[in-house]
Amino acid sequence: MDKIHLIYGTKGCGKTKKLVELANASVATAKGDLVYIDKDMSRMHDLDHKIKLVDTSEYDVRCENTFIAFVSGILAGNYDIEKIFFDGIVKIVKNDIENLEKMFDALAVLSAKFSVDFIFTFSIKDELPEYLKKYDTLFKF
């Protein structure tokens, strides 16, 4: 079963802060490794040193296909990953959330296959797209 969790709301409402808090709180109970994926290294000093911070700009991630390959590579290189936190998925893949259904379907397969929780933040002005309503909403701002 896939384990995809969402944190969403309008721009500037505290989604990243909540994601960082969740990631840091996970350190105390994690049995596996934790990874935080962002478009840059700006959270380096916010995250617990036990969380692996990965900057997608270093790996030429620029669309949904390269993103799926990127996440697959991370999972292939470490079977002990328990959770991956994705900050600002829309900015990472450079596409609107409304257009990412196939990407989320592929991520759901990876989540289930490798028993990894995926936690995403993204900004949205309107209602959540229908395809995302099947996933767990952790926080809506």
Side-chain angles (χ1 to χ4, degrees), residues 116-141:
V116 177
D117 283 356
F118 292 151
I119 303 96
F120 293 90
T121 65
F122 56 91
S123 294
I124 189 167
K125 294 178 185 175
D126 299 316
E127 189 175 325
L128 196 64
E130 193 63 37
Y131 79 90
L132 286 174
K133 291 180 180 179
K134 63 185 171 188
Y135 301 119
D136 179 40
T137 296
L138 293 179
F139 295 95
K140 176 184 175 187
F141 290 89

Side-chain angles (χ1 to χ4, degrees), residues 56-102:
T56 58
S57 71
E58 294 290 322
Y59 299 94
D60 200 27
V61 175
R62 61 189 178 288
C63 68
E64 299 93 302
N65 290 336
T66 56
F67 182 74
I68 294 297
F70 178 73
V71 172
S72 296
I74 289 173
L75 293 172
N78 183 348
Y79 291 108
D80 294 327
I81 294 175
E82 181 176 321
K83 293 181 183 179
I84 301 180
F85 302 87
F86 301 93
D87 193 13
I89 189 63
V90 169
K91 290 182 180 177
I92 292 171
V93 299
K94 299 169 182 66
N95 202 338
D96 295 327
I97 196 70
E98 294 81 11
N99 302 326
L100 300 179
E101 183 172 4
K102 288 182 182 178

Side-chain angles (χ1 to χ4, degrees), residues 30-58:
K31 292 177 176 55
D33 294 332
L34 304 172
V35 178
Y36 190 101
I37 297 178
D38 204 345
K39 66 185 179 336
D40 57 33
M41 295 296 284
S42 61
R43 299 288 158 229
M44 183 176 10
H45 300 294
D46 299 333
L47 293 168
D48 187 288
H49 72 280
K50 294 178 183 173
I51 300 169
K52 171 72 173 166
L53 175 60
V54 181
D55 174 3
T56 58
S57 71
E58 294 290 322

Side-chain angles (χ1 to χ4, degrees), residues 107-118:
L107 290 168
V109 170
L110 290 175
S111 171
K113 183 175 183 177
F114 295 103
S115 298
V116 177
D117 283 356
F118 292 151

